[in-house]
Amino acid sequence: MASTDIVSAGKAQRNQGRSMSGKKRARTSWLERYSALLVAAMLIAAWQILVPLSGLSAFVLPTPLAIATRMINDAPLLVAHLYVTLFEVIVGFGMGVLVGVPLALSIFYSRPFERAIYPILVGLQTVPKVSLAPILVLYLGYGWAPKIVLAFLISFFPIVISTVVGLQSLDTNLVNLVRSMGANEWQTFFKLRLPAALPNIFGGFKVAISLAVIGAVIGEYVAAERGLGYLQLQANSLFDTTLNFATVVTISLLGVILYYIIDVVEARVSYKRDDAK
Amino acid sequence: MNTIQTTGAAVEISHLSKVYKTREDDDVVAIERIDLQFEPGTFVAVVGPSGCGKSTLLSMLAGLVSASTGKIAIDGDAISRPHPKIGVVFQSDLLLYWRTVLDNILLPIEIKRLDLSKFRTRAEELLEQVGLKGFGKKYPSELSGGMRQRVAICRALIQEPGLLLMDEPFGALDALTREQMIMDMQSMWLRVQNTVLFITHGIDEAVFLADRVLVMSPRPGRIDLDLKIDMPRPRQWSKVHEDKVYHGYVRQIRDIFEAKGVLVAH
């Protein structure tokens, strides 16, 4: 029952996309549509051209082409370390979802919980999680654990807070409406509260996944034997600036791809608010 | 066009009061000892200024707010929660933006776990009756305010409610759309002939639509006038404004509001 509701919401968005884009396409030119890509391409081209002209050595600033070549040549190395970081990010983020969403539900449904836990959570959000990295290493050693915990801690807060906000921002008249139809709380949740909160929840997921990448990499900076953060430190100690940059690009790509995966899932599952036009 | 047979529900309200507590722990009497009976199939309108307790009355009939004292019975069942025979239309359409028009109309059926396939045809019929044939697969965001409110009315009518509760249903619409909706409301009701409680600020729409108009005044909310509207149906919006009988009713209601200081003459 609940799942069909969510699936049909996904279809809704796709249909909507089809009917709306007709109008949009007429107004948005090709240039406008790809303007961000175009600007990015221009910046990279400028980098490529200006580096040799500036007289900076490749040790200081390699050209984009050199970085790309290096990424292709060292692909097996980069991918091997990428898997490590990816695993930490996925597990950390997954834990963030598994703990964050139920906690958000508890905060939403239980007044004592909201009173006692929510302010503490909001307060704890001001603690820079990154600064916990050395302590986590002290407690958990050099393995997976501190990176996963850091990715979890850093992604957990936006998930909890956006989910709570999403649930709380529902129009109470809508709740009255479904109650008047005889809905119990279970039905109210799956037919109304959850689909209405999905845009917020996914907003939280998107912030969280990007932060989880940062958490995992920072964990690797502090103490690691594998992972993209570790590879970057290695490149640093060898003065291999090109590999260093290649790693940075790989980390960025990882973040971007994970973000878009969530975006795609959202498009299938949730329907954009109509006031978001 | 199909006529849908619905038997109106009988409503009995006895010694009904509602007292709210404010933050400062003061008592605010929203409704004071109301006794009312609605015959099955009557269109009852309630007019009154904001804060007169008319919406509270509707919420209590919907089973969303409990009474402080007294009781409400729908077809003899004293209500303590939303009664299965009711349908509610609120001031805003409250359509779920992630559902199609058809799925919005079928929401009460889903919630009541009834057979959806049986009601799909009825939903299409209702859409046709409100002039939205073929709009079933559209999304609320593709509809105008008036169309959305029509869909909300279809949603309330899908389960053939014996008692239709309407809380200022045309209050958020522009003047022209509102006029059209008032006229369409009459045709719709003439087909269904269920019991309706129609809450409004508009004296004109109350007199035009109702068999009986209850005039309420605030603090404490009570009924100042119980007016039977004796005009043949179908009534015509353009003609009724030249009708002396109609104007007599409107005058009576205005007199009450002027006497109570709700309307002040200059």
Side-chain angles (χ1 to χ4, degrees):
Chain A
M1 159 204 78
S3 63
T4 54
D5 210 49
I6 292 167
V7 168
S8 67
K11 279 189 208 132
Q13 173 156 21
R14 267 168 282 142
N15 294 341
Q16 174 82 347
R18 221 169 285 148
S19 67
M20 297 287 281
S21 60
K23 265 183 265 162
K24 276 241 165 105
R25 205 168 291 149
R27 274 187 277 120
T28 328
S29 69
W30 186 90
L31 200 70
E32 248 181 297
R33 193 164 254 262
Y34 297 102
S35 51
L37 276 178
L38 211 67
V39 172
M42 280 161 64
L43 286 172
I44 291 170
W47 180 357
Q48 180 69 36
I49 294 161
L50 291 176
V51 168
L53 296 177
S54 68
L56 286 171
S57 90
F59 286 113
V60 180
L61 188 62
T63 63
L65 212 58
I67 297 167
T69 316
R70 186 62 184 273
M71 282 177 77
I72 293 162
N73 292 341
D74 266 342
L77 178 74
L78 285 165
V79 168
H81 288 282
L82 174 74
Y83 276 137
V84 175
T85 308
L86 177 66
F87 175 79
E88 294 159 358
V89 170
I90 299 282
V91 176
F93 172 77
M95 282 168 61
V97 174
L98 290 180
V99 177
V101 173
L103 187 65
L105 292 178
S106 321
I107 290 168
F108 176 71
Y109 277 110
S110 145
R111 207 167 160 70
F113 234 82
E114 188 194 352
R115 285 270 160 114
I117 308 281
Y118 199 40
I120 294 175
L121 276 178
V122 174
L124 277 179
Q125 221 190 347
T126 60
V127 175
K129 255 68 70 185
V130 168
S131 65
L132 296 175
I135 302 168
L136 289 173
V137 171
L138 198 67
Y139 291 163
L140 301 167
Y142 288 75
W144 302 104
K147 291 94 183 174
I148 289 172
V149 170
L150 200 59
F152 158 70
L153 282 177
I154 208 168
S155 58
F156 157 82
F157 288 93
I159 293 173
V160 175
I161 288 167
S162 59
T163 306
V164 170
V165 169
L167 290 168
Q168 285 178 341
S169 60
L170 185 70
D171 183 352
T172 48
N173 286 321
L174 281 166
V175 179
N176 282 337
L177 173 82
V178 297
R179 285 266 160 79
S180 77
M181 296 171 185
N184 56 31
E185 184 45 47
W186 187 259
Q187 290 174 313
T188 307
F189 180 77
F190 282 107
K191 300 252 178 242
L192 178 64
R193 294 192 199 279
L194 181 63
L198 278 179
N200 283 83
I201 295 175
F202 273 97
F205 285 176
K206 285 179 188 171
V207 174
I209 197 86
S210 316
L211 289 176
V213 175
I214 296 174
V217 172
I218 298 273
E220 290 166 356
Y221 285 163
V222 176
E225 288 147 351
R226 285 166 300 191
L228 291 170
Y230 165 80
L231 184 62
Q232 219 192 332
L233 288 188
Q234 289 296 301
N236 237 10
S237 62
L238 298 169
F239 295 102
D240 188 347
T241 320
T242 315
L243 180 61
N244 206 333
F245 269 96
T247 317
V248 171
V249 174
T250 311
I251 294 169
S252 313
L253 281 176
L254 175 65
V256 169
I257 289 166
L258 289 172
Y259 181 95
Y260 276 104
I261 289 173
I262 292 184
D263 204 49
V264 167
V265 173
E266 181 184 13
R268 302 206 131 251
V269 159
S270 161
Y271 181 64
K272 284 204 182 87
R273 246 174 267 245
D274 53 357
D275 56 28
K277 274 184 260 189
Chain B
M1 216 173 277
N2 272 344
T3 309
I4 291 142
Q5 290 298 323
T6 312
T7 38
V11 178
E12 195 166 344
I13 298 169
S14 37
H15 310 311
L16 188 73
S17 305
K18 181 67 194 177
V19 182
Y20 284 111
K21 279 249 185 281
T22 61
R23 274 167 198 269
E24 290 80 35
D25 218 37
D26 298 325
D27 288 345
V28 175
V29 182
I31 302 267
E32 194 177 65
R33 280 184 71 87
I34 288 182
D35 287 281
L36 281 171
Q37 284 180 348
F38 303 160
E39 295 298 317
T42 354
F43 196 118
V44 182
V46 180
V47 239
S50 301
C52 72
K54 58 191 194 303
S55 287
T56 306
L57 178 65
L58 182 132
S59 300
M60 286 196 283
L61 276 158
L64 296 168
V65 169
S66 60
S68 301
T69 62
K71 67 165 197 172
I72 297 171
I74 295 175
D75 273 348
D77 307 333
I79 57 163
S80 56
R81 69 177 92 171
H83 193 280
K85 279 187 185 163
I86 61 158
V88 191
V89 178
F90 294 88
Q91 181 170 7
S92 58
D93 54 74
L94 300 176
L95 298 179
L96 306 183
Y97 61 82
W98 56 89
R99 283 173 166 254
T100 60
V101 163
L102 199 64
D103 287 344
N104 264 293
I105 297 176
L106 291 170
L107 181 66
I109 305 304
E110 264 182 61
I111 286 176
K112 298 205 160 109
R113 299 179 207 278
L114 301 173
D115 184 4
L116 279 174
S117 56
K118 272 190 200 158
F119 285 89
R120 205 155 275 141
T121 335
R122 171 156 168 77
E124 306 266 12
E125 273 169 26
L126 281 168
L127 275 175
E128 191 177 341
Q129 285 172 15
V130 299
L132 289 174
K133 190 173 191 237
F135 278 74
K137 293 212 162 64
K138 298 247 182 225
Y139 283 88
S141 59
E142 300 171 85
L143 270 52
S144 69
M147 289 161 131
R148 293 170 64 122
Q149 194 58 297
R150 282 162 202 269
V151 175
I153 293 170
C154 293
R155 178 179 59 194
L157 292 176
I158 185 76
Q159 30 182 352
E160 311 190 5
L163 175 63
L164 178 62
L165 302 168
M166 305 182 89
D167 193 359
E168 298 177 39
F170 311 142
L173 303 175
D174 64 85
L176 276 176
T177 310
R178 177 174 158 261
E179 273 190 32
Q180 187 61 52
M181 291 291 281
I182 293 168
M183 289 187 272
D184 294 350
M185 182 68 219
Q186 179 183 235
S187 337
M188 232 184 300
W189 178 75
L190 285 174
R191 269 195 296 267
V192 181
Q193 298 263 343
N194 55 357
T195 313
V196 177
L197 183 79
F198 184 94
I199 306 279
T200 180
H201 283 124
I203 300 172
D204 55 349
E205 65 186 35
V207 174
F208 177 80
L209 285 169
D211 297 316
R212 187 176 166 193
V213 177
L214 304 172
V215 183
M216 283 186 80
S217 66
R219 278 173 287 271
R222 57 161 74 106
I223 287 157
D224 292 320
L225 181 67
D226 186 344
L227 191 63
K228 191 171 167 7
I229 307 294
D230 202 0
M231 292 195 297
R233 290 187 193 268
R235 300 168 188 166
Q236 279 180 297
W237 185 253
S238 50
K239 296 219 175 109
V240 99
H241 289 272
E242 292 150 15
D243 189 335
K244 282 211 177 84
V245 183
Y246 169 83
H247 282 290
Y249 291 132
V250 171
R251 188 68 256 165
Q252 280 191 61
I253 296 168
R254 288 184 167 274
D255 286 345
I256 296 276
F257 286 153
E258 279 168 22
K260 292 273 172 183
V262 174
L263 287 173
V264 182
H266 289 281

